[in-house]
Amino acid sequence: MSISPPTVRVEPLESAFAEQASHWAQRLGLPLEGEAQFALQLGHAGLQLQELAPDAPGPVRVDFVEGAAAHRRQFGGGSGQMIAKAVGIQPGVRPRVLDATAGLGRDAFVLATLGCEVRLFERQPLVAALLEDGLARAAADAEVAAIVARMQLRQGNAIELMSGWDGEPPQVIYLDPMFPHRDKSALVKKEMRLFRPFVGDDDDAPALLAAALALASHRVVVKRPRKAPAVQGAAPGYSLDGKSSRYDIYPKKKLA
């Protein structure tokens, strides 16, 4: 039995944003009024997605300038971070990376902060809209404009986009598929609670991995919960384990 996708309306938080809200509604094929379970809201802070249930958590938006992204940019450990080691960052080496499951762009922003050129694919239109808005606002900020200039977003199905790739392939492809949360007692992050009705689980992760392995010139990196099984298909060459996450690395050629 198929489950109907959640209903969403677009709404300006102030009248000054009515025209922009109308633009987003038209572009995403969403109504500007009526009953809905979620609202894509536009205001001074940018674009945000808000669940409309009485006990819903606060809105989710993409912010590369302040908050968690700014803290990690300043105090996150630089090239000593596990994600940096996983994609092969080393002295004099900053690989070209494709983040094929971009989500809210946090991992891609870390890699761009460290000097990598990063292409981002995101297939869910609402998530891609939030990410596009966050990148646009960051591009207007003097401190992070140079970082997000290294990030290029494209909305679409990553498997199709990788299969039809034209030009020099990415050296590294980074995947972070949505993982089925079977532990009912686990506290799922606010973003995951919000996006799971839209995104679901990445049941096509094996096909995503196969497409990535066919395209990447040097390596594929898959982020997984630490105790989760590897994605079905080719076995990783090795893994890097953290406290809650693990990076499975599929090496093809030495980065230099």
Side-chain angles (χ1 to χ4, degrees):
M1 184 178 69
S2 63
I3 300 174
S4 299
T7 52
V8 186
R9 69 172 182 245
V10 181
E11 57 185 32
L13 295 176
E14 296 179 25
S15 58
F17 298 98
E19 186 175 342
Q20 283 177 274
S22 178
H23 165 77
W24 278 111
Q26 186 173 11
R27 183 172 155 188
L28 294 169
L30 298 172
L32 280 163
E33 53 189 28
E35 290 294 318
Q37 296 162 280
F38 294 83
L40 188 64
Q41 301 171 330
L42 192 66
H44 287 288
L47 204 62
Q48 62 186 36
L49 186 63
Q50 174 67 62
E51 187 179 359
L52 298 176
D55 59 346
V60 168
R61 65 189 182 98
V62 173
D63 188 354
F64 294 122
V65 179
E66 298 177 352
H71 186 272
R72 188 168 180 184
R73 173 167 52 89
Q74 295 165 10
F75 309 109
S79 57
Q81 297 175 76
M82 193 170 298
I83 188 175
K85 295 176 182 177
V87 301
I89 288 175
Q90 51 193 295
V93 177
R94 293 297 185 271
R96 297 185 314 278
V97 180
L98 166 62
D99 182 346
T101 53
L104 296 175
R106 290 192 182 118
D107 287 342
F109 183 71
V110 170
L111 296 175
T113 299
L114 296 175
C116 294
E117 297 286 334
V118 189
R119 299 276 293 272
L120 299 86
F121 291 165
E122 174 51 50
R123 65 178 170 186
Q124 214 296 324
L126 284 176
V127 179
L130 294 174
L131 184 49
E132 179 183 326
D133 176 73
L135 287 168
R137 283 184 285 106
D141 181 86
E143 279 194 57
V144 297
I147 296 172
V148 297
R150 291 192 282 270
M151 300 168 67
Q152 292 187 335
L153 171 65
R154 186 170 177 186
Q155 194 269 314
N157 182 292
I159 296 172
E160 296 173 2
L161 293 174
M162 284 191 285
S163 299
W165 186 279
D166 185 28
E168 191 175 11
Q171 292 172 293
V172 177
I173 297 180
Y174 179 80
L175 306 174
D176 183 9
M178 186 75 81
F179 186 71
H181 288 275
R182 312 225 181 268
D183 183 354
K184 299 287 194 296
S185 67
L187 178 64
V188 182
K189 288 183 178 180
K190 178 173 72 173
E191 290 93 337
M192 294 302 100
R193 290 204 303 269
L194 191 67
F195 290 136
R196 190 164 292 279
F198 296 97
V199 179
D201 295 325
D202 283 335
D203 297 325
D204 58 355
L208 190 67
L209 174 60
L213 287 168
L215 176 62
S217 63
H218 287 68
R219 72 171 63 176
V220 173
V221 177
V222 182
K223 185 179 181 180
R224 303 293 281 163
R226 189 170 65 88
K227 295 185 178 181
V231 172
Q232 184 180 355
Y238 63 99
S239 299
L240 298 176
D241 288 341
K243 290 181 180 179
S244 60
S245 299
R246 181 185 82 240
Y247 296 93
D248 290 341
I249 291 119
Y250 301 76
K252 295 180 71 176
K253 193 162 71 173
K254 183 178 174 63
L255 282 160

